[in-house]
Amino acid sequence: MSGGVDSSVTAALCKEAGYDVVGITLQLYDHGQATARKGACCAGQDIHDARRVADRIGIPHYVLDYESRFRDAVVDDFADAYLRGETPVPCIRCNQTVKFRDLLATAKDLGAAALATGHYVRRAVGPGGPELRNAADDSRDQSYFLFATTREQLDFLRFPLGGLPKPAVRAHAERLGLPVAAKPDSQDICFVPNGDYRRVIERLRPDARVPGEIVDLSGRVLGRHDGVIGFTIGQRKGLGLGGEGGGETEPRYVVRLDPARARVVVGPRDALACHALTVKELNWLGADTIPPEGLEVMAKIRNTAPATPARLFAGEDGWATVRFDQPEFGVSPGQACVFYDGDRVLGGGWIVEAESAAAA
């Protein structure tokens, strides 16, 4: 129970259905203004809200201190990823580690029969066991963030909101008299105050900002920057180049980051075209193994991107290669690539390298 409307309704619906429900809230972080920031979760007011909901529906409520686990598995990983020139997805790491590994183990230790969450995703039981599927409401679907969920975890997890649109969830909250019925949804990254992730990184890694050069694909210096952590693949605005570069008018984009040399490489949009990519830590939820000739899938390179046709080839030790039917743009190491067959999540992995025109 994060203190938001989704997890609150989940708990209330489970209670209404006659289950013996225990509410668990995780204390994940506490750094000043972040605990009171509108749109945050898992700290300060949100813990208070979760307790009020538990009191309202008549269930026991416990707060578990997971701050050290959260920092080790999520926050430190987030900072280090940016130093490597990657663009991390901390919400996936949080689900993968703190929630569906640590909290799930705690739930089992407590003798629970299942762990229910407020995620917008569906769990279905197929011929081979539990399957992970898109939410019925595509606009709320969170399956991208849950690709790392294992088969064993799926067997224990339940997602009561997966078949509901958001307005129906709020209607349930009002019907059940929950004090968070009108509470806004959480926004951005929970542990980043005011959305300024660079400040968080600098606090965690004081030597993070290393000035360097902004160069084009040929290595020609176009300008300077005060730290690679301020840039992401595909970024167009905020490069600070102005009219430099020989009067060129074609828009420039960040196409590659080179932290070892403190370089930001920019180029035209075409240089962002990605024909193939490599992933690590492949989590496979498909019914069959991936054949040597590859498997046709729909692949999504970020949560906000549409899934596009691709062929997936399995490698060794959790590595895999994805080849797109048509080029994808703005593929960034550190993001996830998630694979689908219709509305079923087949699995996914962490993007390590993109094969693109800029790689030459």
Side-chain angles (χ1 to χ4, degrees):
M1 297 181 69
S2 66
V5 64
D6 295 329
S7 58
S8 296
V9 169
T10 295
L13 291 179
C14 289
K15 173 69 173 180
E16 188 177 47
Y19 292 102
D20 182 10
V21 181
V22 175
I24 300 290
T25 298
L26 304 182
Q27 169 73 44
L28 297 182
Y29 63 93
D30 185 2
H31 47 78
Q33 295 180 350
T35 61
R37 180 170 65 92
K38 182 182 292 187
C41 72
C42 306
Q45 181 62 40
D46 301 291
I47 293 176
H48 177 66
D49 288 342
R51 183 173 291 114
R52 291 169 60 208
V53 170
D55 290 343
R56 174 69 180 83
I57 63 179
I59 63 171
H61 177 254
Y62 300 96
V63 178
L64 304 183
D65 183 356
Y66 274 25
E67 283 194 43
S68 62
R69 303 185 194 205
F70 185 68
R71 172 155 183 158
D72 292 343
V74 181
V75 180
D76 283 344
D77 177 77
F78 173 83
D80 291 339
Y82 270 106
L83 295 185
R84 295 191 298 266
E86 300 173 355
T87 305
V89 192
C91 293
I92 297 178
R93 282 297 188 200
C94 183
N95 290 324
Q96 181 183 22
T97 58
V98 174
K99 292 179 180 176
F100 290 174
R101 183 192 65 194
D102 299 341
L103 177 58
L104 190 146
T106 298
K108 288 185 175 181
D109 288 343
L110 291 173
L115 175 63
T117 80
H119 289 100
Y120 284 87
V121 69
R122 289 178 296 154
R123 173 189 179 276
V125 179
E131 301 171 355
L132 188 63
R133 295 185 176 271
N134 286 5
D137 183 349
D138 286 339
S139 68
R140 305 296 302 184
D141 179 57
Q142 294 176 301
S143 61
Y144 177 86
F145 297 104
L146 299 181
F147 85 84
T149 306
T150 66
R151 295 179 187 274
E152 182 182 6
Q153 291 166 348
L154 267 182
D155 196 45
F156 193 72
L157 289 164
R158 300 295 184 272
F159 308 106
L161 306 188
L164 298 175
K166 185 71 176 196
V169 173
R170 290 208 179 271
H172 276 302
E174 294 177 358
R175 175 181 65 82
L176 295 164
L178 303 185
V180 296
K183 186 175 180 177
D185 292 336
S186 60
Q187 302 290 332
D188 302 320
I189 301 170
C190 67
F191 60 89
V192 179
N194 304 315
D196 189 353
Y197 74 89
R198 296 172 185 85
R199 182 170 298 180
V200 172
I201 296 170
E202 288 172 341
R203 187 177 68 249
L204 295 169
R205 305 289 185 268
D207 298 328
R209 280 200 181 273
V210 178
E213 300 169 335
I214 300 176
V215 302
D216 65 13
L217 293 172
S218 68
R220 180 167 55 114
V221 177
L222 304 178
R224 294 191 60 81
H225 64 80
D226 62 356
V228 171
I229 64 169
F231 300 86
T232 56
I233 303 297
Q235 179 179 336
R236 176 182 174 186
K237 297 181 179 179
L239 301 183
L241 296 178
E244 299 177 21
E248 298 173 4
T249 58
E250 184 178 13
R252 298 187 184 94
Y253 298 81
V254 175
V255 298
R256 192 165 66 248
L257 298 174
D258 186 353
R261 294 194 290 176
R263 275 190 161 187
V264 175
V265 183
V266 300
R269 184 176 184 275
D270 287 348
L272 289 169
C274 171
H275 305 281
L277 59 80
T278 303
V279 299
K280 65 178 180 179
E281 299 179 33
L282 176 68
N283 181 55
W284 188 246
L285 297 172
D288 303 312
T289 57
I290 302 169
E293 66 273 19
L295 180 70
E296 292 185 0
V297 298
M298 298 296 287
K300 181 181 284 195
I301 61 169
R302 67 181 68 88
N303 182 52
T304 55
T308 59
R311 182 169 286 270
L312 174 65
F313 299 87
E316 298 181 354
D317 301 323
W319 291 71
T321 300
V322 183
R323 297 196 176 278
F324 298 104
D325 290 9
Q326 299 293 328
E328 286 285 274
F329 289 81
V331 176
S332 177
Q335 297 276 292
C337 187
V338 182
F339 315 117
Y340 296 84
D341 178 11
D343 66 353
R344 181 177 179 181
V345 180
L346 297 177
W350 296 98
I351 299 172
V352 176
E353 185 178 12
E355 180 183 312
S356 67

